[in-house]
Amino acid sequence: RSNAVFFSFSLEFLYLGGNFITSIPPELANLPSLSYLVLSDNKIQSIPPQLAQLHSLRSLSLHNNLLTYLPREILNLVHLEELSLRGNPLVVRFVRDLTYNPPSLLELAGRTMKTRNIPYAPSDLPGNLVRYLSLASNCPNPKCGGVYFDSCVRQIKFVDFCGKYRLPLMHYLCSPECSSPCSSASQSSTSQSESDSEDEAIVAAHRMQKVLLG
């Protein structure tokens, strides 16, 4: 077992191409030394956001899969120098997926506790509720300040990489109001969110040296 642990911590190159893989196990994020990851020529449809924890990753080969978007967390791969995406059905126009399941009563209560900063101690609540509250995700819309747990709006946005390519990244918003221009306030929030995404991409562009789409 100690040898397996050492192997996982020291592994730098992992080739999983051409294996008919349909999904990427999030456990790959537990390889802290991984620098080169090849997942090309598979049947992968989505990238787990946990891969953003591969802080040593320099090259990510995802060509010839079934990807239509990338998680926005990929911008956190600070050492990534090469990203290969050719041969994927990446969306070619701005797409919004507003499929939304209303939050449960449990989630509404959890959102209220988080957004209003209601204090509580682990001894005040059952263990399963304490764990649930720890899973809250912040809405990326800076004008919102909300959180979500299981119920969220998926939205695909294009951001610039290297000033040449626009890649579709997946955003998760806490409610449709954060993405629909139903009022001037929400429209301003959406515009600001898009601007922030562009700023993130500009920063990432300084790190990305190659984005291979063709």
Side-chain angles (χ1 to χ4, degrees), residues 83-153:
L83 174 63
S84 176
L85 292 170
R86 65 181 185 274
N88 282 283
L90 290 170
V91 289
V92 295
R93 59 187 176 86
F94 191 89
V95 179
R96 291 190 179 193
D97 184 354
L98 294 178
T99 302
Y100 181 65
N101 293 320
S104 63
L105 292 177
L106 173 62
E107 176 151 353
L108 288 174
R111 290 188 181 196
T112 300
M113 292 188 67
K114 286 294 186 178
T115 55
R116 297 188 179 182
N117 294 317
I118 297 176
Y120 64 90
S123 58
D124 297 334
L125 301 171
N128 62 317
L129 293 183
V130 174
R131 287 191 295 272
Y132 181 79
L133 290 171
S134 69
L135 298 176
S137 298
N138 293 322
C139 181
N141 187 334
K143 296 294 183 67
C144 172
V147 300
Y148 64 87
F149 293 86
D150 302 312
S151 178
C152 62
V153 174

Side-chain angles (χ1 to χ4, degrees), residues 51-72:
L51 286 194
Q53 300 173 24
L54 294 173
H55 299 302
S56 299
L57 197 64
R58 295 184 178 276
S59 177
L60 178 58
S61 297
L62 295 168
H63 52 272
N64 298 331
N65 277 288
L66 301 175
L67 297 171
T68 57
Y69 68 90
L70 299 174
R72 70 193 303 263

Side-chain angles (χ1 to χ4, degrees), residues 4 44 76 87 144 150 153 168 179-180 182 194-195 199:
I44 300 169
N76 296 327
C144 172
D150 302 312
V153 174
S179 56
S180 299
C182 298
E194 291 175 357
S195 176
D199 291 340

Side-chain angles (χ1 to χ4, degrees), residues 3-37:
N3 290 337
V5 172
F6 174 79
F7 175 77
S8 65
F9 273 85
S10 61
L11 185 65
E12 296 183 6
F13 187 99
L14 181 60
Y15 185 95
L16 296 172
N19 282 292
F20 297 98
I21 296 173
T22 58
S23 62
I24 303 174
E27 288 76 13
L28 278 182
N30 298 326
L31 300 173
S33 299
L34 192 64
S35 298
Y36 301 90
L37 176 59

Side-chain angles (χ1 to χ4, degrees), residues 141 143-144 177-192:
N141 187 334
K143 296 294 183 67
C144 172
E177 287 74 18
C178 283
S179 56
S180 299
C182 298
S183 64
S184 58
S186 63
Q187 189 169 11
S188 174
S189 299
T190 303
S191 177
Q192 180 66 44

